[in-house]
Amino acid sequence: MESRYNPASIEPQWQQVWAEQKLDKTLEARDLPKFYALSMFPYPSGNLHMGHVRNYTITDVIARVYRMRGYRVLHPMGWDAFGLPAENAAIDRGVPPAKWTYANIANMRAQLQRLGLSYDWDHEVATCSPDYYRWTQWIFLQFLQAGLAYRKEATVNWDPIDQTVLANEQVDSEGRSWRSGAKVEKRLLRQWFLKITDYAERLLNDLDQLPGWPERVKLMQENWIGKSTGAQVVFKTEAGDELPVFTTRPDTLWGATFMVLSPEHPLVAKLTPPEQADAIQAYQTAAAAKSEIDRTAEDQEKTGVWTGSYAVNPVNGEPIPIWIADYVLMGYGTGAIMAVPAHDQRDFEFARKFKLPIRLVVQPADPTLDADTLSAAWSQGGVLVNSGPLDGLPAGKGAGQSVEAAIQWLEANGKGQRMITYRLRDWLISRQRYWGAPIPVIHCPNCGVVPVPEADLPVSLPENIELSGRGASPLTQLADWLTVPCPTCGTMAQRETDTMDTFIDSSWYFLRYADAQNQAQVFDPTKVNDWLPVDQYVGGVEHAILHLLYSRFFTKVLHDRGLLNFDEPFLRLLTQGMVQGLTYFNPRTGRWIASDQVNREDPKDPETGEALEVAYKTMSKSKHNGVAPGEVIEKYGADTARMFILFKAPPEKDLEWDEADVEGQFRFLNRVWRLVHEFAGRSVNPMAAALTKPEKDLRRAIHTAIQESSEDMQEGYQFNTAISEFMKLSNALNDFADKASPVYAEGITTLVKLLAPFAPHITEELWQILGNAESVHRQAWPQADPTALVVDEVPLVIQINSKNREVIQIPAGLDKEAQEQYARQSEAAQKYLEGKQIKKVVVVPNKLVNFVVV
RNA sequence: GGGAGCGUGGUGGAAUGGUAGACACAAGGCACUUAAAAUGCCUCGGCCCAAAAGGCUGUGAGGGUUCAAAUCCCUCCGUUCCCACCA
């Protein structure tokens, strides 16, 4: 009867049974409460890494617990399948991107299935499939109709040797093309944008509606949207041209002693007298040659050139010189600033370097500042001085303070107006790439930009192509594909050859999952409104900004188009930490060495014999750490891998993968295996009228495990402490003598059920060995019996002057006086209270009594 | 420079105002075994005492609030992440 726990044989066997029985099919019964559990879908790179395993295991446990609690659960999986790696692989190996991608999907799907993840594969989507991108294109047309998609010029990275557009990630830190090594140039192209800025205010405000999101993610989104309130003030040049500036500190306008324009500012040429022209042009050329990185680098010394012109400060009529400097960016605000050196550090450094005047307009009570001796800009509080109508006001942004007063004064005197700006830019979605969803528009010489009629969707991507990595997108070379009659006038016209940013594909996939196979519509609104919003979303914190913001934007737009009855897609969000692998580092050679080549006790470089440093690296980014999920699963089984990754650290924290610790989880599962096998087939005594003391204690242990692990799963998903509860229960069962007791039987079945969402295969096997025909995954999640949790006695801590002196057992639930009486009779009290005067007694019911004595 | 977080045994971590170190990993010892593996049992923050009993001390450092602080407040140190010449 006794058999060894052999995951390699039972796991695939049960996976097959579950697949045949469609155990993980999504329940559609409308009378059950719904739960939508979602993991961020992977890019099909070809292989699962430990970060994936962690992500999907977390969501799978949540989905399984909700099923056992009686919910109908949608738990789908799919593929974020468009993107650059497929093109790179195509160039390197001469395989068409589609073929490479689908092969990877097949491979990774098999790896996911091997982990025992309870997906309903009937809801699978792949963003590169025409069934999917047809609707991505349809949604783009919705944006176009809503006036939320438009074209404007924007720069791209241009490789002059390969004659191709490069993604930012294809440009190295020196500004060279990764493939040709050519110095990358900037080129202007007309490209498509989505007007996410129209939604900036809602995307910001609605963060308040997301109590189930981590605060730090909301804060990151808030910072990314970057709302700032201030004023627009128009300065005039001597020639009468207008130079609007945006400032968050309009109260310091009286302290503006010069202006700075971005070197690219369109008025620069006009402002420059001939004698300054050479200097200005030289500076502009130098600024243009600087890479983004150089220009935004920290501790960059201030540079700049005077244009030779002056502007008039509208609040006091003073002429102030106009400079250009590369620390002012054309892409932010108006590309021009008023400089207040006394109260802005960058302006201060600039003024000191070029000997420009500094005028104090905020004077704090202490220290008393003097513009001549100022060592840094004063950006803190104080009272306004030298500021005409604002003199004497407290500096600050609140009502009645200087900023608000300044805005009101500017508006009343017609010198400027209140203005709100956002750091958020419109979303550039054009990619000069092949492997993406084609933007469904046609350029007609007569009609201009014409949307492809919905009936003609999808605009399919020709799949059998060859990529060279040189020249323009292959779409521009395919005459058959490129040339089509204009849908409006019939003239021969050309298709748009840009494809969409892959972030578009992933901004709506969670909607399609609810109705993945719909051929007639993007989705049936009834189904989507039923399943959505997502109840629990799980993924890496690296997506905290872009993906989550774009998905929220899409959901709001589709809501406003009347397609959805909700406008926030994800109710609760869990951002899981990274998985890192143990590696060794040789500080002299700078080489990383995999852990399996090094003796842990005495890490030495296998080639040079030098001592090594221990380090952890992110699994997905390092090739040097030899731990792939495949090997671990082969050696210990999927259940052990799942248990380990959940037990090792709380889900939000980074996790260091160390194979030595995996053994511990394997041993725990083996112990459970033995416990159940030793029990199975035994006869169980009938329930006696009264439980013995050990039975009562065991019953309390059982129901404590239920109670605690259920709480751990409810609040914050503390899988690590939930598993430790299972271990405690297993230890209690192991120590329990009367194996024929009905309470012991209750403990065994409870343990198997509690463990089922975590280790689905071994529990299914053990459940069957216990004589059950139905799957353990169809059982109800155990309920804690409050009567079993009741304790007769509690430990009481006796403190004298807050120092622990003794622990005694007292009856539970005593009133304060009775509890104090027990405490007074304790040995510690007798010993330490003798001859002392009691100043105060603190009684915490069922916990402690503290005697404060002198 | 701005924002957020973290800092607890040899290690991962537990404890969110009330017995610090749950549950594990590693390590050491013992039992079983011809032996090994597996398994079971014991010890395991530091210091004092021959040992036990016991005592003192201990959650990055310093201070504060409280009968009571890993937990709350202030200052500093270290570290991680995000953003950043953002007007």
Side-chain angles (χ1 to χ4, degrees):
Chain A
M1 176 201 87
E2 176 88 29
S3 63
R4 263 189 61 238
Y5 169 43
N6 183 7
S9 82
I10 64 165
E11 291 186 349
Q13 180 196 319
W14 281 112
Q15 282 161 11
Q16 201 188 333
V17 171
W18 296 333
E20 283 163 6
Q21 296 176 349
K22 293 214 164 228
L23 191 82
D24 300 321
K25 181 117 193 72
T26 309
L27 296 175
E28 299 291 350
R30 287 294 152 85
D31 51 333
L32 295 176
K34 69 97 180 177
F35 192 88
Y36 186 174
L38 181 65
S39 295
M40 290 181 185
F41 66 166
Y43 178 80
S45 60
N47 280 299
L48 236 42
H49 59 72
M50 283 297 175
H52 293 126
V53 175
R54 190 177 197 193
N55 191 166
Y56 308 146
T57 303
I58 288 169
T59 315
D60 190 54
V61 172
I62 294 169
R64 287 177 180 277
V65 168
Y66 272 90
R67 282 199 201 96
M68 289 177 81
R69 283 195 179 138
Y71 287 74
R72 63 193 161 97
V73 172
L74 177 60
H75 183 215
M77 182 42 73
W79 312 97
D80 187 14
F82 273 138
L84 210 48
E87 294 195 19
N88 297 336
I91 296 164
D92 289 345
R93 306 167 206 200
V95 190
K99 201 175 165 189
W100 182 83
T101 303
Y102 284 114
N104 285 348
I105 288 176
N107 194 24
M108 284 176 80
R109 192 192 294 114
Q111 291 177 358
L112 289 176
Q113 284 165 339
R114 184 64 193 82
L115 275 168
L117 300 165
S118 60
Y119 297 125
D120 180 352
W121 290 100
D122 291 346
H123 288 256
E124 181 181 9
V125 303
T127 58
C128 66
S129 139
D131 291 344
Y132 184 90
Y133 69 71
R134 170 181 183 182
W135 303 112
T136 306
Q137 291 170 338
W138 184 87
I139 289 172
F140 174 85
L141 295 178
Q142 295 289 306
F143 275 75
L144 198 58
Q145 277 175 33
L148 291 167
Y150 67 97
R151 290 212 300 164
K152 75 170 180 193
E153 289 210 315
T155 55
V156 293
N157 300 310
W158 179 256
D159 180 332
I161 293 181
D162 282 349
Q163 294 282 300
T164 191
V165 174
L166 298 175
N168 279 336
E169 66 182 72
Q170 295 173 315
V171 181
D172 67 20
S173 55
E174 256 104 71
R176 295 185 177 278
S177 164
W178 67 344
R179 206 170 287 283
S180 70
K183 192 84 183 163
V184 169
E185 297 170 2
K186 297 279 179 200
R187 276 213 169 180
L188 275 176
L189 288 181
R190 255 171 100 76
Q191 306 194 67
W192 285 95
F193 286 80
L194 295 187
K195 261 192 208 168
I196 192 171
T197 51
D198 276 13
Y199 281 74
E201 190 65 26
R202 268 169 77 191
L203 289 167
L204 181 66
N205 288 336
D206 292 353
L207 289 171
D208 293 343
Q209 295 172 23
L210 301 170
W213 281 39
E215 284 303 318
R216 68 189 179 116
V217 172
K218 287 194 274 188
L219 201 76
M220 279 159 79
Q221 293 221 345
E222 200 180 311
N223 291 339
W224 188 259
I225 295 167
K227 179 178 181 173
S228 50
T229 305
Q232 174 158 304
V233 181
V234 180
F235 285 64
K236 281 206 170 124
T237 66
E238 289 164 305
D241 287 308
E242 295 196 335
L243 276 173
V245 302
F246 170 75
T247 173
T248 56
R249 293 295 306 276
D251 55 330
T252 61
L253 262 164
W254 283 262
T257 51
F258 57 102
M259 285 188 79
V260 186
L261 308 190
S262 155
E264 298 87 4
H265 198 285
L267 274 180
V268 171
K270 198 174 167 190
L271 287 166
T272 309
E275 63 272 19
Q276 281 292 96
D278 287 349
I280 289 286
Q281 269 195 2
Y283 189 79
Q284 284 176 322
T285 313
K290 272 191 183 177
S291 72
E292 296 268 315
I293 290 151
D294 288 342
R295 202 163 149 174
T296 58
E298 225 173 307
D299 302 331
Q300 194 64 12
E301 199 180 350
K302 293 283 173 291
T303 59
V305 185
W306 180 41
T307 58
S309 294
Y310 291 86
V312 175
N313 185 339
V315 301
N316 56 14
E318 275 182 16
I320 55 174
I322 306 171
W323 287 63
I324 63 170
D326 62 6
Y327 78 92
V328 175
L329 306 173
M330 203 54 223
Y332 187 80
T334 59
I337 61 161
M338 63 158 193
V340 184
H343 306 292
D344 180 284
Q345 186 59 28
R346 290 160 303 162
D347 297 347
F348 178 83
E349 289 167 21
F350 196 84
R352 274 286 143 90
K353 174 154 183 195
F354 296 105
K355 310 258 185 308
L356 292 160
I358 293 172
R359 183 189 301 153
L360 212 61
V361 290
V362 178
Q363 181 62 254
D366 178 55
T368 302
L369 302 175
D370 178 353
D372 296 333
T373 58
L374 211 56
S375 61
W378 180 261
S379 52
Q380 298 170 54
V383 169
L384 287 241
V385 294
N386 303 325
S387 294
L390 303 183
D391 277 351
L393 283 169
K397 301 207 167 189
Q401 292 183 308
S402 60
V403 172
E404 193 54 37
I407 294 172
Q408 283 171 17
W409 185 89
L410 288 168
E411 289 191 329
N413 291 277
K415 309 263 188 188
Q417 60 278 190
R418 180 185 304 278
M419 193 173 173
I420 290 168
T421 60
Y422 299 92
R423 213 191 61 103
L424 185 68
R425 315 275 79 177
D426 274 342
W427 176 9
L428 197 173
I429 60 155
S430 290
R431 297 292 181 267
Q432 294 70 42
R433 299 267 142 222
Y434 156 75
W435 191 233
I439 293 173
V441 299
I442 291 164
H443 298 281
C444 168
N446 301 326
C447 314
V449 172
V450 181
V452 172
E454 283 182 24
D456 295 349
L457 295 181
V459 176
S460 347
L461 205 54
E463 290 199 348
N464 281 315
I465 56 101
E466 274 180 32
L467 284 173
S468 63
R470 280 180 290 279
S473 159
L475 295 180
T476 62
Q477 324 286 321
L478 296 166
D480 292 356
W481 183 88
L482 194 60
T483 311
V484 281
C486 167
T488 308
C489 71
T491 313
M492 288 317 276
Q494 291 219 319
R495 287 193 189 281
E496 170 69 61
T497 55
D498 283 357
T499 54
M500 288 185 246
D501 181 4
T502 56
F503 272 111
I504 301 258
D505 308 323
S506 57
S507 293
W508 74 281
Y509 77 107
F510 45 91
L511 302 171
R512 181 71 180 175
Y513 273 149
D515 192 16
Q517 297 183 3
N518 197 327
Q519 295 297 308
Q521 296 171 270
V522 60
F523 45 70
D524 175 351
T526 321
K527 288 187 182 174
V528 170
N529 287 329
D530 174 42
W531 279 113
L532 278 277
V534 173
D535 294 279
Q536 181 65 59
Y537 199 23
V538 182
V541 73
E542 66 273 19
H543 294 110
I545 299 175
L546 295 181
H547 164 61
L548 291 169
L549 193 68
Y550 293 151
S551 297
R552 295 180 60 221
F553 169 49
F554 263 52
T555 303
K556 287 180 191 302
V557 172
L558 296 178
H559 168 265
D560 293 353
R561 299 286 294 172
L563 289 156
L564 306 173
N565 67 5
F566 54 93
D567 75 345
E568 279 293 339
F570 313 122
L571 292 181
R572 291 184 70 177
L573 174 69
L574 176 64
T575 49
Q576 117 249 355
M578 303 259 186
V579 181
Q580 302 178 316
L582 178 70
T583 47
Y584 293 86
F585 181 70
N586 184 327
R588 193 188 58 80
T589 59
R591 252 171 36 93
W592 294 92
I593 294 137
S595 57
D596 55 7
Q597 293 176 32
V598 177
N599 173 9
R600 289 173 61 100
E601 301 301 316
D602 181 25
K604 291 249 161 65
D605 191 314
E607 284 172 24
T608 66
E610 292 163 301
L612 297 175
E613 288 174 6
V614 177
Y616 286 89
K617 286 194 103 183
T618 308
M619 303 292 270
S620 54
K621 288 184 185 157
S622 169
K623 296 169 196 151
H624 304 291
N625 54 47
V627 189
E631 296 169 24
V632 176
I633 291 166
E634 207 177 302
K635 200 163 163 190
Y636 300 101
D639 285 341
T640 296
R642 293 168 59 114
M643 292 287 286
F644 169 75
I645 214 158
L646 295 169
F647 181 68
K648 176 92 180 176
E652 316 79 36
K653 286 197 71 167
D654 284 355
L655 182 153
E656 287 160 2
W657 183 276
D658 190 340
E659 194 169 320
D661 296 345
V662 179
E663 298 263 4
Q665 288 307 312
F666 187 63
R667 280 208 288 271
F668 171 62
L669 291 181
N670 268 292
R671 191 153 37 226
V672 175
W673 178 267
R674 263 180 278 119
L675 267 178
V676 174
H677 274 84
E678 284 161 15
F679 170 77
R682 266 176 188 274
S683 58
V684 175
N685 293 340
M687 188 66 87
L691 297 183
T692 64
K693 173 86 168 50
E695 282 177 328
K696 243 176 139 175
D697 289 344
L698 180 63
R699 193 135 194 285
R700 189 176 327 110
I702 294 165
H703 288 268
T704 305
I706 296 171
Q707 173 87 1
E708 297 292 320
S709 62
S710 299
E711 274 172 21
D712 288 340
M713 302 299 301
Q714 202 95 38
E715 301 149 20
Y717 298 122
Q718 300 297 311
F719 304 104
N720 55 332
T721 50
I723 290 173
S724 81
E725 292 300 327
F726 305 155
M727 290 174 167
K728 283 183 206 172
L729 176 56
S730 139
N731 291 343
L733 290 167
N734 210 32
D735 295 344
F736 190 76
D738 180 10
K739 309 279 182 196
S741 162
V743 177
Y744 186 76
E746 183 190 357
I748 294 284
T749 52
T750 303
L751 179 60
V752 173
K753 282 194 271 188
L754 289 176
L755 205 51
F758 295 78
H761 310 89
I762 185 174
T763 50
E764 187 76 307
E765 177 79 12
L766 294 175
W767 191 245
Q768 195 205 38
I769 283 163
L770 288 171
N772 300 289
E774 198 187 33
S775 168
V776 70
H777 304 295
R778 289 272 159 82
Q779 305 308 308
W781 182 254
Q783 292 284 315
D785 175 358
T787 64
L789 296 172
V790 172
V791 285
D792 306 328
E793 284 200 320
V794 289
L796 180 74
V797 177
I798 314 292
Q799 294 185 339
I800 314 293
N801 284 344
S802 309
K803 196 173 266 294
N804 299 327
R805 288 300 174 186
E806 194 183 351
V807 181
I808 60 172
Q809 292 291 321
I810 60 161
L814 295 179
D815 62 29
K816 285 192 167 191
E817 289 73 24
Q819 184 169 315
E820 187 180 331
Q821 280 314 308
Y822 271 96
R824 282 177 182 279
Q825 283 152 26
S826 68
E827 272 177 46
Q830 305 289 332
K831 182 173 163 194
Y832 288 96
L833 297 182
E834 171 108 48
K836 296 282 169 67
Q837 192 197 338
I838 298 175
K839 246 174 71 182
K840 186 174 181 183
V841 183
V842 180
V843 181
V844 182
N846 295 323
K847 280 216 172 106
L848 98 168
V849 174
N850 184 11
F851 294 100
V852 184
V853 299
V854 280

